[in-house]
Amino acid sequence: MIRAKVIGAGGYGGVGIVELLASHPEARIAALVDVTDVGAPLSNLYPHLTGFCDIKIVDPADPVAKQEVDVVFTATPDGVGMKLAQEVLSSGAKLIDYSGDFRFNTAQSYAEYASRIGRETQHAAPDLLPQAVYGLAELHRGDLDSRRKIVGNPGCFAVSCILGLSPAVKHGLVEPFSVICDCKTGVSGAGKKPSAGFHYPARYDHMNVYKLAGHQHVCEIERELSLQAGGEVRVTFTAQVVPVCRGIMSCLYGQLTKDIKAEEVIGLYKDFYKGSAFVRVFDRNATIGSMHVRGTNFCNLIVDVDARTRKLRVVSHIDNLMKGQAGSALQNMNLLFGLPETTGLMRAGMYP
Amino acid sequence: MIRAKVIGAGGYGGVGIVELLASHPEARIAALVDVTDVGAPLSNLYPHLTGFCDIKIVDPADPVAKQEVDVVFTATPDGVGMKLAQEVLSSGAKLIDYSGDFRFNTAQSYAEYASRIGRETQHAAPDLLPQAVYGLAELHRGDLDSRRKIVGNPGCFAVSCILGLSPAVKHGLVEPFSVICDCKTGVSGAGKKPSAGFHYPARYDHMNVYKLAGHQHVCEIERELSLQAGGEVRVTFTAQVVPVCRGIMSCLYGQLTKDIKAEEVIGLYKDFYKGSAFVRVFDRNATIGSMHVRGTNFCNLIVDVDARTRKLRVVSHIDNLMKGQAGSALQNMNLLFGLPETTGLMRAGMYP
Amino acid sequence: MIRAKVIGAGGYGGVGIVELLASHPEARIAALVDVTDVGAPLSNLYPHLTGFCDIKIVDPADPVAKQEVDVVFTATPDGVGMKLAQEVLSSGAKLIDYSGDFRFNTAQSYAEYASRIGRETQHAAPDLLPQAVYGLAELHRGDLDSRRKIVGNPGCFAVSCILGLSPAVKHGLVEPFSVICDCKTGVSGAGKKPSAGFHYPARYDHMNVYKLAGHQHVCEIERELSLQAGGEVRVTFTAQVVPVCRGIMSCLYGQLTKDIKAEEVIGLYKDFYKGSAFVRVFDRNATIGSMHVRGTNFCNLIVDVDARTRKLRVVSHIDNLMKGQAGSALQNMNLLFGLPETTGLMRAGMYP
Amino acid sequence: MIRAKVIGAGGYGGVGIVELLASHPEARIAALVDVTDVGAPLSNLYPHLTGFCDIKIVDPADPVAKQEVDVVFTATPDGVGMKLAQEVLSSGAKLIDYSGDFRFNTAQSYAEYASRIGRETQHAAPDLLPQAVYGLAELHRGDLDSRRKIVGNPGCFAVSCILGLSPAVKHGLVEPFSVICDCKTGVSGAGKKPSAGFHYPARYDHMNVYKLAGHQHVCEIERELSLQAGGEVRVTFTAQVVPVCRGIMSCLYGQLTKDIKAEEVIGLYKDFYKGSAFVRVFDRNATIGSMHVRGTNFCNLIVDVDARTRKLRVVSHIDNLMKGQAGSALQNMNLLFGLPETTGLMRAGMYP
């Protein structure tokens, strides 16, 4: 059994991986660590876990937190994982970090990211960066194996955009500076902490854009798409919140470099994802939306061409807390321990 | 493997049991029957099932619908199951019916029910009624075994009220004519068919009472509570809809027959449900609500006493589509086939 | 023109009265006072007011806050209004306080209330208590005239229960200790401050009970009903939150003291409220709910009798921020200044 | 007083104009016409109007429906207004039509529109088309005067896109074939009729794209933008539904034709709309969204430039039932009768 420790267990990212680990056939939860609610069983914070995960949250200094494990999930904001990484690795465990700390594997690319989002540009563990891999299995499956020690779990918006555009940029279908990512997220993407903008009365019948000056996921989107394209890709990115709980729907646009029919593009997409169990490709007639991936690790793509304006249009749907966070984290764990990628993740969700 | 057929597969009740059967270790779906959407894979109607249940819906007359199975779920409204029952039994299968058709096991008690809700009082298969059992395992576990052929799956509101009040009436704690059931349901309880009252703009910020003249679940509530009490119990019942999707919260009140402390009542409740894995008992300080049973088969009860007014107050929470419908149906199937009651049902749900 | 000052202008109670005053034909806003967001135009906090109320929020110590006005609304929590009252009165203004500070007009009744909710039992201005009137115009219209200086604006749940039960208790229709108030509120009732329970992801598909040990509005409900009944009335009260923004729906029950038909009770109710423009009485067949009073000062009552169990059942609907707060406050202001009670309040709301 | 008749009174478009007319100082409702719910007071269908509009709905053949009026609102789908227009004009009344019937003023441009949406291309009253004006006052105020007899009220999405892009295309700021309109609407835009996609359980936590093959509002958007640009403009348009009731948020993008700063563009926008009371222009730091125009006739624009990708980005917010429908209709009526454009429309809305 894979022994797992979750740091930041009390947040949505933490409880998400706990839910998945609790029913995973090859893993068990060894410790839940957080700096708030210390001493409380996780099921006190999340009563639905009563009888399923009554493990107590411990302080990072607690001996329970320091026991030997096989994998550590740092479900923590930027700046935490990088400080813990060396200790995790020294203990023999692997690290799967939710933040931007290990999404970039050179000190320089990290510094560019950090600078864009206004953080300290000096990484706390620059020597470890080359060991990290960007944890989007659909693109980096080959680098996610048992020799890998550190994974930078991708950002939720980034997952939706990268999966939605990679086949197109790889095949040179769109002008590299023409790409627009118009992205809507459900509110759970903002995490567990209450704030004015996510207070029910202020949110229930409301939609709005935010961070127009620049969103932290743009760097990784452009890096990954540029890698696929073999040349620089730049995106115009608009983050939006709408009153759903779970779900991201990204409308992705690019100026086509040539006349091509939707059917042909769909073929290229299906081919690109043929070994990827969690990506499904649909055409413009599909009546799907965010609810059809809720609670699952799937990414559903509608691939379309607007011939009148010569635009590629892709609509990408994920559950921001699953494929956009804990689901990808578990998928990465599976790969790092030589398990089938889908272990413990092949669930359809519930409807309605 | 238990071969299961679902009649009325295209509705919420149908897809609910399909979701559960699809991941059940001892059952498989043999046929999906409905009178609409015939020929379409269920995953066309419910795209989240793509890859999980792509079985085509067939017409009742289709040979596929007529194949031999071990259990038939009639996820159909009143009046359908009673017409199909004899044929199901003759084929050697067991019947689990979602409607009121087999919740009463004499022609007379059925007639009283039918009369109260304005239906034809003559049952279509009166000879089968004595074979039926009311499918609430927590009260009738002993009658739900491999000899049983017909189960009348309980009504959603009824489950919440009966589980919330049975220990109290059994112990004679409340005046039998003083009981009030103030019940709020999520909208999914009304099923899949669009209607004016459940149209999103008319519902999203709206709560209302309905059927003040009498709700169809009152008969079974009074019958079951009277059985537990050993004497007639009558309830004042108020059905309400609130803008949640899944969930029932019933506030249940009764005039206490004696001074008793909440702790003592809680003790009686825990004792009553000690063999029932899906019932959890909490005190008034629990911070729980409908979301903590969403997607699960649990019934969470808050048991409380208002000493100032000498009232028992119980708050009962279930997922109307799970413990209130498909979950109970699967629990009943498990019992009818000699499996542990919790098989395929021990899930915590997801949060948020 | 009535010059009005609003203290606590930045909260939902504050912006509610501002919206009403901004379109009132006989009043104008002279000052907006708060301790947070000082210096910001109210339309910065509430952009819908851009061009309608761009007045800056000032600190209580600001000269603008100290200018002479005719009426002061203290849209503040318990304990604030009582400290400011003497100064308001000395300046010649009238005080309409939103909290429990002036809902009780003897030091002793205040102390009982304060004790029940765990506050300091000594009132800060006991000498002023006899001057205060409970600001529910439908019951105390006669005491709300130009000589009145202090109004204790009623609690939102209290308004719904008192209006729903007053005619019944006045006519002795129900047993005085049998009354049950099962009350559901929308989330805006909790005010503007974000908190865990009202964070969108934790609230959107959730309903729950709270404060089972005792809600602060019970005292005033029992006091007012006892006054109407001419004898003690005690209520069992259950506060609940459901995911609507604005709205209270209270289901009110009482054991009937005699056989009486619903029609007769409805007649008594219509008679009781015949001079009250904001109360509408419906029978059990009305298809109404909380959305039909949203944004308005109306209280819609469904009056019903359950003959089988000999219970009175009344369903009371208000907008918690209007009739339950700012609307009643403005209604009270109108009466205190000799205006028709409905001035600036006769609005239908919008649908959907 | 302007005597108004509303045809299609029972739908959301009908009740919207009724709400506005009921409080308009210079108009009164003379007749409500519909083909369903005939004989019922409008307040039966919409109980919030009890006491505000209890006028009975009459059949088109009813004498009440045929009385002389000054203005007729046809709150009806495509194909109805064109058949009634001649009779309305002959009676001396003006016609304000909600559908696409009079948004195009040549038989040919109508035929192109009709063909794109799959309707009969022959207009029923081609002779009247040259008399019609497109009822977006911000662009056609000069043509909306007392001589005007027919107004084609604009489509809701179209209002948001045209107002959001007109200043930019007029000033040649964006490449005319590069424009992308990524538009999200609340559910009320689909009208009152229940359907599977707007059934609460299927909608509450769901967002999706629809009509990818072509939306009926594209024609009028391109026509109006082309008029402003003085040359052909083509847009890629993506319609989306999100779970809000009222509100449209359109994210509008265009490739800039030159380097220009956001401040400068904002200046051009403010200048363009300086006589338009209902358009407000904000910069990228504004924390506004759809809720801040709910229940109002405003269009709030965020105007932004993404210098990294040389894109113009405008976010346009309206209430689809107000500025997107009934509000614009009333604004048009005001102009047609020589009243100030804002009469009866200058309302801030309520929050939350």
Side-chain angles (χ1 to χ4, degrees):
Chain A
M1 292 292 269
I2 303 164
R3 297 161 301 172
K5 175 161 72 177
V6 181
I7 299 179
Y12 288 166
V15 74
I17 193 72
V18 165
E19 288 172 346
L20 292 174
L21 290 169
S23 65
H24 192 282
E26 307 285 344
R28 68 173 182 80
I29 300 166
L32 301 178
V33 183
D34 212 328
V35 292
T36 54
D37 298 301
V38 172
L42 190 66
S43 52
N44 272 25
L45 279 70
Y46 296 101
H48 73 298
L49 293 176
T50 305
F52 293 89
C53 182
D54 300 307
I55 299 174
K56 282 186 185 164
I57 294 173
V58 295
D59 187 88
D62 193 290
V64 171
K66 300 207 168 286
Q67 69 184 285
E68 194 181 303
V69 297
D70 301 302
V71 63
V72 173
F73 295 91
T74 38
T76 45
D78 276 30
V80 177
M82 63 168 78
K83 297 206 186 85
L84 301 173
Q86 188 56 66
E87 188 183 335
V88 169
L89 265 58
S90 301
S91 79
K94 296 170 188 288
L95 175 68
I96 298 175
D97 180 69
Y98 279 35
S99 80
D101 286 9
F102 289 103
R103 290 179 194 156
F104 302 90
N105 54 12
T106 66
Q108 190 190 331
S109 60
Y110 178 79
E112 282 166 26
Y113 160 74
S115 144
R116 227 198 264 186
I117 63 167
R119 291 189 62 84
E120 159 65 43
T121 57
Q122 174 63 44
H123 196 278
D127 296 351
L128 299 179
L129 285 173
Q131 297 185 43
V133 68
Y134 187 68
L136 190 55
E138 286 72 15
L139 298 187
H140 300 287
R141 196 171 279 125
D143 289 328
L144 288 156
D145 60 18
S146 57
R147 290 162 304 179
R148 183 63 55 181
K149 296 288 190 186
I150 309 182
V151 175
N153 213 49
C156 52
F157 275 137
V159 170
S160 74
C161 294
I162 296 166
L163 292 179
L165 289 166
S166 284
V169 297
K170 183 186 175 72
H171 289 285
L173 300 184
V174 295
E175 302 287 354
F177 277 44
S178 75
V179 174
I180 288 174
C181 301
D182 190 281
C183 301
K184 303 94 199 170
T185 185
V187 187
S188 65
K192 183 193 176 188
K193 193 165 189 283
S195 68
F198 307 123
H199 188 47
Y200 184 88
R203 171 53 54 195
Y204 81 112
D205 202 34
H206 189 53
M207 49 184 161
N208 65 289
V209 298
Y210 67 103
K211 289 192 183 172
L212 288 182
H215 191 280
Q216 67 273 17
H217 292 170
V218 172
C219 280
E220 54 190 287
I221 295 169
E222 293 185 340
R223 196 261 320 268
E224 291 294 312
L225 294 182
S226 298
L227 278 173
Q228 291 294 325
E232 189 181 3
V233 174
R234 278 199 198 168
V235 307
T236 302
F237 183 94
T238 308
Q240 293 153 75
V241 194
V242 297
V244 309
C245 179
R246 286 168 176 261
I248 282 177
M249 178 170 73
S250 294
C251 293
L252 310 166
Y253 304 90
Q255 189 67 35
L256 285 169
T257 50
K258 58 173 177 179
D259 286 330
I260 188 168
K261 284 190 186 309
E263 296 70 38
E264 195 179 339
V265 185
I266 289 173
L268 295 172
Y269 270 67
K270 288 193 169 170
D271 198 52
F272 189 95
Y273 289 120
K274 71 167 172 273
S276 293
F278 292 120
V279 181
R280 297 171 180 137
V281 180
F282 296 85
D283 69 19
R284 62 156 66 165
N285 299 312
T287 54
I288 60 167
S290 63
M291 211 167 162
H292 301 114
V293 294
R294 200 177 43 156
T296 83
N297 200 48
F298 288 92
C299 174
N300 280 356
L301 300 176
I302 297 174
V303 176
D304 185 36
V305 164
D306 186 348
R308 283 181 69 250
T309 58
R310 233 182 166 212
K311 296 279 190 316
L312 173 75
R313 172 167 53 184
V314 177
V315 187
S316 177
H317 309 80
I318 61 167
D319 179 330
N320 54 298
L321 295 181
M322 285 289 285
K323 186 62 188 160
Q325 196 175 61
S328 277
L330 193 75
Q331 189 177 354
N332 289 328
M333 184 197 83
N334 285 337
L335 289 166
L336 262 50
F337 288 88
L339 299 171
E341 189 172 326
T342 57
T343 310
L345 277 173
M346 241 327 145
R347 42 180 79 186
M350 291 195 120
Y351 189 94
Chain B
M1 292 293 269
I2 303 164
R3 296 161 301 172
K5 175 161 72 178
V6 181
I7 300 179
Y12 288 165
V15 74
I17 192 71
V18 166
E19 288 171 347
L20 291 173
L21 290 169
S23 65
H24 193 282
E26 307 285 342
R28 68 171 183 81
I29 300 166
L32 301 178
V33 183
D34 212 327
V35 292
T36 54
D37 298 301
V38 172
L42 191 66
S43 51
N44 271 25
L45 280 70
Y46 295 101
H48 72 298
L49 293 176
T50 305
F52 292 89
C53 181
D54 300 308
I55 299 174
K56 281 185 185 166
I57 295 173
V58 295
D59 187 88
D62 192 290
V64 172
K66 299 203 169 289
Q67 69 185 282
E68 194 181 301
V69 298
D70 302 301
V71 63
V72 174
F73 294 91
T74 38
T76 45
D78 275 30
V80 177
M82 61 167 80
K83 297 205 185 86
L84 302 174
Q86 188 57 65
E87 188 184 336
V88 170
L89 265 58
S90 301
S91 77
K94 296 170 188 288
L95 174 68
I96 299 175
D97 180 68
Y98 278 34
S99 80
D101 285 9
F102 289 103
R103 290 180 194 156
F104 303 90
N105 54 12
T106 67
Q108 190 189 331
S109 60
Y110 177 78
E112 282 166 26
Y113 160 74
S115 145
R116 225 196 264 185
I117 63 167
R119 292 188 62 86
E120 158 66 43
T121 56
Q122 174 64 44
H123 196 278
D127 296 351
L128 299 179
L129 285 173
Q131 299 184 41
V133 69
Y134 187 68
L136 190 56
E138 286 72 15
L139 298 186
H140 299 289
R141 196 172 279 126
D143 289 328
L144 289 155
D145 59 20
S146 56
R147 290 161 306 180
R148 182 63 56 182
K149 297 287 189 188
I150 309 183
V151 176
N153 213 49
C156 52
F157 275 138
V159 170
S160 75
C161 295
I162 296 166
L163 292 179
L165 288 166
S166 283
V169 296
K170 182 186 176 72
H171 289 285
L173 299 184
V174 295
E175 300 288 354
F177 278 45
S178 75
V179 174
I180 289 174
C181 301
D182 190 281
C183 302
K184 302 96 200 168
T185 186
V187 186
S188 64
K192 183 194 176 187
K193 194 166 188 283
S195 68
F198 307 124
H199 188 46
Y200 184 88
R203 173 52 54 195
Y204 81 112
D205 203 35
H206 189 53
M207 49 184 161
N208 65 289
V209 298
Y210 67 102
K211 290 192 183 173
L212 288 181
H215 190 280
Q216 67 272 18
H217 293 169
V218 173
C219 279
E220 54 191 284
I221 296 170
E222 292 185 342
R223 195 262 320 270
E224 292 294 310
L225 295 182
S226 298
L227 278 173
Q228 291 294 325
E232 189 183 2
V233 173
R234 278 199 198 166
V235 307
T236 302
F237 183 93
T238 309
Q240 294 153 73
V241 195
V242 297
V244 310
C245 178
R246 286 168 174 260
I248 281 177
M249 178 169 73
S250 294
C251 292
L252 309 166
Y253 305 90
Q255 190 66 35
L256 285 169
T257 51
K258 60 172 179 180
D259 287 330
I260 189 168
K261 284 190 185 308
E263 295 71 38
E264 196 179 338
V265 185
I266 290 173
L268 294 172
Y269 270 68
K270 289 195 168 168
D271 198 52
F272 189 96
Y273 290 119
K274 70 168 173 271
S276 292
F278 292 120
V279 181
R280 297 169 180 140
V281 180
F282 296 85
D283 69 19
R284 63 157 64 166
N285 299 312
T287 52
I288 60 167
S290 64
M291 210 166 164
H292 301 115
V293 294
R294 198 176 46 156
T296 83
N297 201 47
F298 288 92
C299 175
N300 280 356
L301 300 176
I302 297 175
V303 176
D304 185 37
V305 163
D306 185 348
R308 284 180 68 250
T309 58
R310 234 182 165 212
K311 296 277 190 318
L312 174 75
R313 173 168 52 185
V314 177
V315 188
S316 177
H317 309 79
I318 61 166
D319 180 328
N320 54 296
L321 295 181
M322 285 289 284
K323 186 63 188 158
Q325 196 174 61
S328 278
L330 193 75
Q331 191 177 354
N332 289 327
M333 183 197 84
N334 286 335
L335 288 166
L336 261 51
F337 289 87
L339 298 171
E341 192 173 323
T342 56
T343 309
L345 277 172
M346 241 328 142
R347 42 178 82 184
M350 291 195 121
Y351 189 94
Chain C
M1 292 294 269
I2 302 164
R3 296 161 302 171
K5 175 161 73 178
V6 181
I7 299 180
Y12 288 165
V15 73
I17 193 71
V18 165
E19 288 171 346
L20 292 173
L21 290 168
S23 64
H24 193 282
E26 307 285 343
R28 68 170 183 81
I29 301 166
L32 301 178
V33 183
D34 212 327
V35 292
T36 53
D37 298 303
V38 172
L42 190 66
S43 52
N44 271 25
L45 279 69
Y46 296 100
H48 72 299
L49 293 176
T50 305
F52 292 88
C53 182
D54 300 307
I55 299 175
K56 281 186 185 166
I57 294 173
V58 296
D59 187 88
D62 193 291
V64 171
K66 299 204 169 289
Q67 70 185 282
E68 193 180 301
V69 297
D70 302 301
V71 63
V72 173
F73 295 91
T74 39
T76 46
D78 275 30
V80 176
M82 61 168 80
K83 298 208 185 83
L84 300 175
Q86 188 55 65
E87 188 183 336
V88 170
L89 265 58
S90 301
S91 78
K94 295 169 188 286
L95 175 67
I96 298 174
D97 180 68
Y98 278 34
S99 81
D101 285 10
F102 289 103
R103 290 179 194 156
F104 304 90
N105 54 12
T106 67
Q108 191 189 329
S109 61
Y110 177 79
E112 282 167 27
Y113 160 74
S115 145
R116 228 198 262 185
I117 62 166
R119 293 188 61 86
E120 159 66 42
T121 57
Q122 175 63 45
H123 196 279
D127 296 351
L128 300 179
L129 285 173
Q131 298 185 41
V133 69
Y134 187 69
L136 190 56
E138 285 72 15
L139 298 187
H140 300 288
R141 196 171 279 125
D143 289 327
L144 289 155
D145 59 19
S146 57
R147 290 161 305 180
R148 183 63 56 181
K149 297 286 189 187
I150 309 183
V151 175
N153 212 49
C156 52
F157 275 138
V159 170
S160 74
C161 295
I162 296 166
L163 292 179
L165 288 166
S166 284
V169 297
K170 182 185 177 72
H171 289 285
L173 300 184
V174 295
E175 300 287 354
F177 277 45
S178 75
V179 174
I180 289 174
C181 302
D182 190 281
C183 301
K184 303 95 199 168
T185 185
V187 187
S188 65
K192 183 194 176 188
K193 193 166 189 282
S195 69
F198 307 123
H199 188 47
Y200 184 88
R203 172 52 54 195
Y204 80 112
D205 202 34
H206 188 53
M207 49 184 160
N208 65 287
V209 299
Y210 67 103
K211 290 192 184 173
L212 288 181
H215 191 280
Q216 67 272 16
H217 293 170
V218 173
C219 280
E220 55 190 285
I221 295 169
E222 293 185 341
R223 195 263 318 271
E224 291 295 310
L225 295 182
S226 299
L227 278 173
Q228 292 293 325
E232 189 182 2
V233 173
R234 279 199 198 166
V235 306
T236 302
F237 183 93
T238 308
Q240 294 153 73
V241 194
V242 297
V244 309
C245 178
R246 287 169 175 260
I248 281 177
M249 179 170 72
S250 294
C251 292
L252 309 166
Y253 305 90
Q255 190 66 37
L256 285 169
T257 52
K258 59 172 178 180
D259 288 330
I260 188 168
K261 285 189 186 309
E263 295 70 38
E264 196 179 338
V265 184
I266 290 172
L268 294 172
Y269 269 68
K270 289 194 169 170
D271 198 52
F272 189 97
Y273 289 119
K274 70 169 173 271
S276 293
F278 293 119
V279 180
R280 298 171 180 138
V281 180
F282 297 85
D283 69 20
R284 63 157 64 167
N285 298 312
T287 53
I288 60 167
S290 63
M291 210 167 163
H292 301 114
V293 294
R294 198 177 44 155
T296 82
N297 200 48
F298 288 93
C299 174
N300 281 356
L301 300 176
I302 297 174
V303 176
D304 184 37
V305 163
D306 186 348
R308 283 180 69 251
T309 58
R310 236 184 164 210
K311 296 278 190 316
L312 174 76
R313 173 168 52 185
V314 177
V315 188
S316 177
H317 309 80
I318 61 167
D319 180 329
N320 54 296
L321 295 180
M322 285 288 284
K323 186 63 188 158
Q325 197 174 62
S328 277
L330 193 75
Q331 190 177 355
N332 289 327
M333 184 198 83
N334 285 337
L335 289 166
L336 263 50
F337 288 88
L339 299 170
E341 192 173 323
T342 56
T343 310
L345 277 173
M346 243 325 145
R347 42 178 82 185
M350 291 195 120
Y351 189 94
Chain D
M1 292 292 269
I2 303 164
R3 297 161 300 172
K5 175 161 72 177
V6 181
I7 299 179
Y12 288 166
V15 74
I17 192 71
V18 165
E19 288 171 347
L20 292 174
L21 290 169
S23 65
H24 192 282
E26 306 285 343
R28 68 173 182 81
I29 300 166
L32 300 178
V33 183
D34 212 328
V35 292
T36 54
D37 298 301
V38 172
L42 190 67
S43 52
N44 271 26
L45 280 68
Y46 296 100
H48 73 298
L49 293 177
T50 305
F52 293 88
C53 182
D54 300 307
I55 299 174
K56 281 185 186 166
I57 295 174
V58 295
D59 188 88
D62 193 289
V64 172
K66 299 203 168 289
Q67 70 185 282
E68 193 181 303
V69 297
D70 302 300
V71 64
V72 174
F73 294 91
T74 39
T76 45
D78 275 31
V80 176
M82 62 168 78
K83 297 206 185 86
L84 301 174
Q86 187 57 64
E87 187 183 335
V88 170
L89 264 59
S90 301
S91 79
K94 297 170 187 287
L95 175 68
I96 298 175
D97 180 68
Y98 279 34
S99 80
D101 285 9
F102 289 103
R103 291 180 193 156
F104 302 91
N105 55 12
T106 66
Q108 188 189 333
S109 61
Y110 178 78
E112 282 166 26
Y113 160 74
S115 145
R116 228 198 262 186
I117 62 168
R119 292 188 62 85
E120 158 66 44
T121 56
Q122 174 64 43
H123 196 278
D127 296 352
L128 300 179
L129 284 174
Q131 298 185 42
V133 68
Y134 188 68
L136 190 56
E138 286 72 15
L139 299 188
H140 299 288
R141 195 171 280 126
D143 289 328
L144 290 155
D145 59 19
S146 56
R147 290 161 304 178
R148 182 64 55 181
K149 297 286 190 188
I150 308 182
V151 175
N153 212 48
C156 52
F157 275 137
V159 170
S160 75
C161 295
I162 296 166
L163 292 179
L165 289 166
S166 283
V169 298
K170 183 186 175 72
H171 289 284
L173 299 185
V174 296
E175 301 288 352
F177 278 43
S178 75
V179 174
I180 289 173
C181 301
D182 190 281
C183 302
K184 303 95 199 170
T185 184
V187 186
S188 64
K192 183 194 176 189
K193 193 166 189 281
S195 68
F198 307 123
H199 188 47
Y200 183 89
R203 171 53 53 196
Y204 81 112
D205 203 34
H206 189 53
M207 49 184 161
N208 65 288
V209 298
Y210 67 103
K211 290 192 183 172
L212 288 182
H215 191 280
Q216 67 272 18
H217 294 169
V218 172
C219 280
E220 54 190 285
I221 295 170
E222 292 184 342
R223 195 261 321 266
E224 291 295 310
L225 295 182
S226 298
L227 278 173
Q228 292 294 325
E232 189 182 2
V233 173
R234 278 198 198 168
V235 306
T236 302
F237 184 93
T238 308
Q240 294 152 75
V241 194
V242 298
V244 309
C245 179
R246 286 169 175 260
I248 281 177
M249 179 170 72
S250 294
C251 293
L252 309 165
Y253 304 90
Q255 190 67 36
L256 285 169
T257 50
K258 59 172 177 180
D259 288 329
I260 187 168
K261 284 190 186 309
E263 295 70 37
E264 195 179 339
V265 185
I266 290 173
L268 295 172
Y269 270 68
K270 288 194 170 170
D271 198 51
F272 189 96
Y273 290 119
K274 71 169 173 273
S276 292
F278 293 119
V279 181
R280 298 172 180 136
V281 180
F282 297 84
D283 69 20
R284 62 157 65 166
N285 299 311
T287 54
I288 60 167
S290 63
M291 210 167 163
H292 300 115
V293 294
R294 200 177 44 156
T296 83
N297 201 47
F298 289 92
C299 175
N300 280 355
L301 301 175
I302 297 175
V303 176
D304 185 37
V305 164
D306 185 349
R308 283 181 69 250
T309 58
R310 233 182 167 211
K311 296 279 189 316
L312 173 75
R313 172 167 53 184
V314 177
V315 187
S316 177
H317 309 80
I318 60 166
D319 179 329
N320 54 297
L321 295 181
M322 285 289 285
K323 186 63 189 161
Q325 196 175 60
S328 278
L330 194 75
Q331 189 177 354
N332 289 327
M333 183 198 84
N334 286 336
L335 289 167
L336 261 51
F337 288 88
L339 298 171
E341 190 173 324
T342 57
T343 310
L345 278 173
M346 242 326 145
R347 40 179 81 186
M350 290 195 120
Y351 188 95

